Structure formats: structure tokens, C-alpha cells
Amino acid sequence: MSDDSSIFRGDRLACERGGRLVFARLGFSLVAGEMLVLRGANGSGKSTLLRVMAGLTPVLSGQILWGDSPVPADRLAHNSRCHFVGHQDALKPVLTVRQNLQLWQSLRGGAPERIDQALELLGIIGLAELPARLLSAGQRRRLALARLVATPAPLWLLDEPATALDADGAARLDRVINDHRASGGRVVLSSHGEVTGDGRVLDLMEFRPSAQDLAA
């Protein structure tokens, strides 16, 4: 993992979802090695903000930057620097566990030996030759998270990543996140539960649209 001193930041962001203003005047910053934990009630915009950070959802106003460069100006560069793991596991059910990671590497790069490393770290090396359609919900989640290790990227955007994980899976996820941060990686994740580590909390309830925002 290369040490990138650029700051990933958002400035006075406002975003709509389904014609409704979800948040306004939102700002954040993230440097190498940091973790940002998104909190807030259902519908406060945690998933929307993660999609904005990934360059998948446009903002109504404000800007999001990597260093001095606006993310929308070079979407390919931003796509190559970030992993987004949402609520959907995005697996190919007819492929085996190993083949799913091989497919991911064919799209995103990564050394072949990192596949077994990823499967070991997430505790599913024994399932490597099993078709993904036979996995339980927790095993599917572990495989989706294994992509983070199999294909390195400096920025991880994780939407409730511990969903469906048991205690062992959650502990493995924590170790993977800590290793990523120790190597200079950055993590933004949403969570309703406890998160280990020293991540800063961004409470989206603080950025609920005001009457003035709604009237603008």
C-alpha cells in the first residue's frame, strides 16, 4: 500500500434521494490511516453518503475531492483507488468462492497469491471450491469482504460491513480493517453497532436539512 498524503474530503455537501433532500452542509476529511464511522437513524443518508464518496451518486451542491482534484473530474482514477461494499454482496452464484475472487482480480488487479491470503483472513479457505450459491448469508458476506484483501485499494467504503457476520467473522473483519489502516489505508463505514478501533464518528443527524435548506 503506497503512502498517499492527499486528503480525501467533502465540503458543504447536499444530496437528494427520491426527490427528498437527505443531508445538507455536510463536510468530512480523511487522511491515510484514518477511519470514519457514519452514524445516524435510518434514512439519515449513511448509504447515500457512501455512494457519494464512491462517485456513484452525484451531489446537489458542494464538492468532494481527493487532494486538490474533484472526484467527478477523473472517475476512473477514483474507481481504481476505492472499494465499495454495499448491502448487496455482488457475487456470481455459479462461480466458486475462489473463482469469484479471480473474476474480481481480472477486473481490478491483484497478485494471485492474495486470493488464498484473503480467504484465510476471512476464515473461508475451506470453502474455496464451493459454488457461491451454496454459501450461507454470513459466508457470502465474508466472501464479499475478501475482495478487499484480494485486490488492494487505499480507500474502503463499507456499508454496514458486519451484517450477517457471527462473532468470529466480525473479529476477522476488525483485524482486516486494522491491518489496512496500519499500512496507510483509509476506511469509511456505516454501523448501528459497536465498532472497535479509534475511528472518528460522523453523525449524519447533525446535517439534517433545515427549513432554509428545504426552501432553497
Side-chain angles (χ1 to χ4, degrees):
M1 180 80 57
S2 61
D3 182 17
D4 190 337
S5 60
S6 297
I7 299 176
F8 178 50
R9 61 190 176 93
D11 181 38
R12 297 189 64 80
L13 300 173
C15 191
E16 286 185 338
R17 185 183 61 213
R20 178 179 70 89
L21 190 60
V22 182
F23 53 75
R25 297 166 283 101
L26 187 150
F28 72 88
S29 65
L30 194 68
V31 301
E34 281 194 322
M35 179 168 70
L36 191 63
V37 180
L38 307 184
R39 299 285 195 186
N42 292 338
S44 60
K46 300 184 297 298
S47 296
T48 299
L49 179 57
L50 285 167
R51 291 183 60 84
V52 166
M53 290 178 170
L56 299 173
T57 296
V59 294
L60 187 64
S61 62
Q63 57 180 348
I64 185 166
L65 307 101
W66 187 274
D68 296 326
S69 302
V71 164
D74 194 342
R75 295 186 185 278
L76 287 177
H78 191 63
N79 182 62
S80 69
R81 73 170 65 101
C82 75
H83 277 314
F84 173 71
V85 178
H87 290 157
Q88 301 297 319
D89 294 327
L91 305 178
K92 298 292 186 182
V94 298
L95 298 182
T96 67
V97 166
R98 186 187 304 280
Q99 288 169 341
N100 266 279
L101 293 186
Q102 290 172 336
L103 174 62
W104 192 249
Q105 282 195 341
S106 73
L107 299 172
R108 300 288 304 254
E113 60 269 20
R114 293 187 69 93
I115 290 179
D116 279 358
Q117 179 187 1
L119 296 177
E120 288 278 7
L121 287 171
L122 272 300
I124 51 174
I125 186 67
L127 306 176
E129 309 310 323
L130 194 69
R133 61 182 172 82
L134 299 181
L135 301 180
S136 69
Q139 291 167 341
R140 289 176 61 87
R141 195 59 169 173
R142 291 185 189 222
L143 177 53
L145 294 167
R147 300 196 312 250
L148 302 171
V149 178
T151 305
L155 174 62
W156 293 0
L157 305 172
L158 313 177
D159 200 352
E160 298 185 29
T163 298
L165 293 180
D166 58 16
D168 176 72
R172 289 175 181 275
L173 171 61
D174 286 339
R175 288 196 292 271
V176 166
I177 287 175
N178 290 337
D179 288 347
H180 178 62
R181 295 179 62 198
S183 66
R186 310 163 204 233
V187 179
V188 184
L189 63 84
S190 64
S191 176
H192 289 291
E194 293 298 320
V195 178
T196 62
D198 56 350
R200 290 185 291 112
V201 173
L202 182 67
D203 187 351
L204 270 72
M205 302 303 288
E206 298 178 5
F207 303 98
R208 289 177 295 180
S210 66
Q212 183 177 359
D213 294 320
L214 295 171

